[in-house]
């Protein structure tokens, strides 16, 4: 009986040891790529961050680890930590990460000058290439940054260049909208109208363009046309441009419609 | 020999328990969780302490969006003067009833280095936030939930120029 218990204890102790060794192996010694993927999928969890720390210790020159580790910090408002990590990724591979950092400065921090510095630097590192930071045309992002700085001549210039880069049929519809808004700020109503119309030619659901046109027609005292676009904006409101993380600079709200309706009345 | 077997079993069991506990903790906690501190949080309550997602996964919002927050607060904050340009970032909870609390603040300069802001000024910003009463808590077809929210006060030329 004693022998039986002893064997049982040895088996149990061995199983527990194997269990611990397997977990330690998976966390610290299995394929780096597999661990990177696993940690990325657990974005934000403490385990994910701990695994990135282990990976950084083992592979300190891998820019992707710093980049991926930065993401949840920035999404949750811990910019000091998030950008320290992102800065490290940029330091290791500027061509790969400058665009994303510029995008983050633009959309998450509204640091328009900082965004332009990163985007311009990226452009200078990639001559002859139209960069697409985080999937968006670099000139669109530059246009948005100048729009944020209220430099409407420059924002217009870059949005138009973005449309040229992509071709009218493939350009981001919001590039037409932003060009229209920039023209409006510069007092060029006809050009603004022209660009809002172009946005609507691309898609009749462009709520922002309908609101822009409603505003122009209201200012021109063309109330019928203004009402038409206001009604369309209301009808298609669910198609408005929004983002779960941040408010866009040209984001429209139901209040914008109410305000225009009050003016019409 | 008997004691060696027992020691082996004890060490392996302790190691397994420690590792399991560590992994469980690491899996069930995430960065940015705000623990309650009654001294600074007063009587603010959440509906489910164990389930507080982030705003971006649950569409937590303010009626009229951040633009409405800016319209409600910005003009009243123009007398508040700051030394450094940068961001003052509030992370807080919108509870399932649309009340806000548990404010935690990070302040950074233009280089995103941490900076100290006068606590009275931070209190003024917090009071301004508390005055906002039109929060839409996170919800789905079944229920309303608590969620974390992030709001930035952008400081330029010694004053608040944007809220987003």
């Amino acid at each position: 009986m004693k022998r039986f218990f002893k064997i049982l204890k040895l088996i149990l102790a061995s199983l527990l040891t194997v269990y611990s060794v397997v977990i330690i192996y998976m966390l610290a010694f299995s394929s780096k790529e597999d661990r990177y993927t696993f940690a990325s999928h657990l974005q934000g969890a403490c385990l994910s961050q701990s695994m990135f720390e282990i990976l950084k210790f083992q592979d300190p020159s891998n820019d992707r680890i710093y980049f991926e580790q930065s993401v949840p910090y920035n999404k949750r408002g811990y910019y000091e930590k998030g950008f320290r990590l992102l800065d490290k990724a940029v330091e290791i591979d500027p061509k790969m990460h400058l665009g994303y950092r510029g995008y983050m400065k633009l959309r998450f921090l509204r640091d328009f000058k900082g965004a332009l510095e990163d985007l311009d630097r990226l452009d200078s590192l990639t001559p002859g290439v139209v960069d697409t930071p985080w999937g968006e045309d670099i000139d669109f992002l530059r246009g948005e940054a100048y729009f944020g700085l209220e430099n409407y001549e420059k924002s217009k210039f870059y949005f138009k260049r973005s449309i040229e880069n992509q071709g009218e049929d493939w350009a981001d519809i919001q590039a037409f909208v932003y060009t229209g808004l920039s023209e409006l700020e510069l007092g060029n109503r006809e050009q603004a109208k022209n660009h809002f119309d172009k946005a609507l030619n691309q898609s009749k659901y462009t709520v922002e363009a309908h609101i822009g046109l409603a505003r122009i027609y209201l200012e021109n005292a063309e109330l019928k046309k203004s009402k038409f676009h206001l009604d369309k904006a209301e009808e298609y409101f669910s198609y408005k441009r929004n983002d779960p993380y941040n408010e866009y600079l040209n984001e429209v709200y139901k209040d914008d419609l109410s305000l225009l309706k009050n003016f019409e009345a | 020999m008997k004691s060696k077997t027992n020691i082996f079993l004890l060490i392996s069991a302790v190691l397994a328990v420690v590792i399991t506990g560590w992994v469980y903790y690491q899996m069930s906690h995430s960065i940015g969780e705000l623990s309650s501190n009654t001294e600074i949080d007063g009587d603010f309550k959440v509906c489910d302490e164990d389930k507080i997602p982030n705003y971006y996964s649950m569409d937590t919002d303010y009626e009229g969006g951040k633009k409405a927050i800016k319209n409600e607060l910005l003009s009243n904050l123009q007398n508040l003067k700051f030394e450094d340009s940068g961001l003052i970032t509030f992370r807080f909870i919108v509870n399932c009833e649309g009340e806000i609390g548990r404010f935690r603040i990070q302040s950074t300069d233009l280089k995103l280095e941490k900076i100290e802001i006068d606590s009275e000024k931070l209190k003024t910003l917090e009071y301004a936030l508390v005055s906002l009463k039109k929060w839409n808590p996170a919800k789905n077809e079944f229920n309303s939930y608590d969620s974390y929210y992030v709001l930035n006060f952008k400081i330029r030329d010694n004053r608040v120029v944007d809220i987003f």
Side-chain angles (χ1 to χ4, degrees), chain A residues 6 9 13 17 19 44 46-47 50 76 78-80 83-84 108-110 112 244-245 247 253 256, chain B residues 1 6 12 20 26-27 29-31 54-56 64 67 89 91 106 111-112 114 152 154 162 164:
Chain A
K6 189 180 167 189
K9 282 179 189 174
T17 305
Y19 164 80
C46 292
L47 184 63
S50 297
R76 295 168 197 210
Y78 296 95
Y79 305 123
E80 188 212 0
F83 274 80
R84 285 296 79 78
F108 278 70
L109 309 181
R110 291 197 179 176
F112 305 120
Y245 299 102
E247 176 188 65
Y253 292 97
D256 296 306
Chain B
M1 189 62 190
N6 286 340
S12 60
T20 304
Q26 294 265 312
M27 285 286 278
H29 288 78
S30 60
I31 57 174
N54 284 287
Y55 67 98
Y56 48 80
K67 192 175 181 178
T89 304
R91 184 170 166 83
Q106 314 271 323
K111 290 180 179 166
L112 295 168
K114 203 170 267 185
N152 300 294
K154 179 175 167 179
D162 200 359
F164 60 95

Side-chain angles (χ1 to χ4, degrees), chain A residues 168-229:
Chain A
E168 284 216 1
D169 291 342
W170 294 97
D172 187 327
I173 290 174
Q174 294 298 327
F176 295 106
V177 174
Y178 267 123
T179 310
L181 291 170
S182 303
E183 293 284 16
L184 211 50
E185 290 289 346
L186 293 166
N188 306 324
R189 277 190 206 170
E190 275 310 306
Q191 285 93 325
K193 200 150 70 76
N194 184 27
H195 280 88
F196 291 139
D197 282 333
K198 281 185 179 175
L200 291 177
N201 284 339
Q202 301 286 328
S203 168
K204 65 177 182 177
Y205 302 109
T206 315
V207 178
E208 297 80 9
H210 280 300
I211 291 180
L213 284 170
R215 187 167 289 149
I216 291 172
Y217 286 125
L218 183 65
E219 284 169 6
N220 288 346
E222 296 177 72
L223 296 186
K224 248 187 178 175
K225 287 182 177 175
S226 175
K227 185 177 179 327
F228 170 82
H229 286 289

Side-chain angles (χ1 to χ4, degrees), chain A residues 58-76:
Chain A
Q58 295 170 334
D59 192 5
S61 61
N62 186 337
D63 53 290
R64 291 191 306 147
I65 303 169
Y66 298 93
F67 155 74
E68 194 63 47
Q69 194 182 11
S70 75
V71 175
Y73 283 114
N74 288 330
K75 280 182 181 177
R76 295 168 197 210

Side-chain angles (χ1 to χ4, degrees), chain A residues 3 64 82 87 125 142 175 178 184 203 226 249 255:
Chain A
R3 193 175 172 79
R64 291 191 306 147
D87 289 348
L125 291 174
R142 284 197 278 213
Y178 267 123
L184 211 50
S203 168
S226 175
L249 295 179
D255 279 359

Side-chain angles (χ1 to χ4, degrees), chain A residues 25-242:
Chain A
Y25 171 80
M26 283 170 64
L27 291 175
F29 301 105
S30 61
S31 145
K32 285 177 188 159
E33 197 56 39
D34 288 349
R35 281 184 284 147
Y36 171 82
T37 306
F38 182 74
S40 303
H41 287 155
L42 281 179
Q43 189 185 88
C46 292
L47 184 63
S48 162
Q49 292 295 319
S50 297
M51 288 180 76
F52 283 134
E53 288 299 326
I54 296 169
L55 283 164
K56 281 192 310 190
F57 177 75
Q58 295 170 334
D59 192 5
S61 61
N62 186 337
D63 53 290
R64 291 191 306 147
I65 303 169
Y66 298 93
F67 155 74
E68 194 63 47
Q69 194 182 11
S70 75
V71 175
Y73 283 114
N74 288 330
K75 280 182 181 177
R76 295 168 197 210
Y78 296 95
Y79 305 123
E80 188 212 0
K81 271 191 174 175
F83 274 80
R84 285 296 79 78
L85 291 160
L86 198 47
D87 289 348
K88 186 70 186 173
V90 170
E91 188 187 314
I92 297 170
D93 191 346
K95 275 190 200 174
M96 181 62 78
H97 300 289
L98 265 172
Y100 176 72
R101 193 173 70 179
Y103 166 95
M104 292 298 290
K105 286 180 180 175
L106 172 64
R107 295 271 167 83
F108 278 70
L109 309 181
R110 291 197 179 176
D111 173 10
F112 305 120
K113 287 180 183 168
L116 284 167
E117 278 171 22
D118 280 352
L119 296 172
D120 289 344
R121 193 178 146 210
L122 173 66
D123 202 19
S124 72
L125 291 174
T126 56
V129 174
V130 178
D131 297 290
T132 52
W134 217 232
E136 296 195 44
D137 180 74
I138 189 169
D139 287 324
F140 183 93
L141 295 176
R142 284 197 278 213
E144 202 174 304
Y146 280 113
F147 189 86
L149 287 170
E150 299 178 7
N151 185 336
Y152 300 113
E153 282 293 354
K154 282 208 163 175
S155 66
K156 184 174 83 172
F157 169 80
Y158 279 106
F159 284 124
K160 283 186 174 176
R161 206 160 86 171
S162 173
I163 294 167
E164 281 169 27
N165 291 343
Q166 307 297 320
E168 284 216 1
D169 291 342
W170 294 97
D172 187 327
I173 290 174
Q174 294 298 327
F176 295 106
V177 174
Y178 267 123
T179 310
L181 291 170
S182 303
E183 293 284 16
L184 211 50
E185 290 289 346
L186 293 166
N188 306 324
R189 277 190 206 170
E190 275 310 306
Q191 285 93 325
K193 200 150 70 76
N194 184 27
H195 280 88
F196 291 139
D197 282 333
K198 281 185 179 175
L200 291 177
N201 284 339
Q202 301 286 328
S203 168
K204 65 177 182 177
Y205 302 109
T206 315
V207 178
E208 297 80 9
H210 280 300
I211 291 180
L213 284 170
R215 187 167 289 149
I216 291 172
Y217 286 125
L218 183 65
E219 284 169 6
N220 288 346
E222 296 177 72
L223 296 186
K224 248 187 178 175
K225 287 182 177 175
S226 175
K227 185 177 179 327
F228 170 82
H229 286 289
L230 214 45
D231 288 345
K232 288 291 172 195
E234 201 156 27
E235 185 182 346
Y236 301 140
F237 197 76
S238 59
Y239 293 93
K240 80 163 190 140
R241 186 185 193 221
N242 61 5

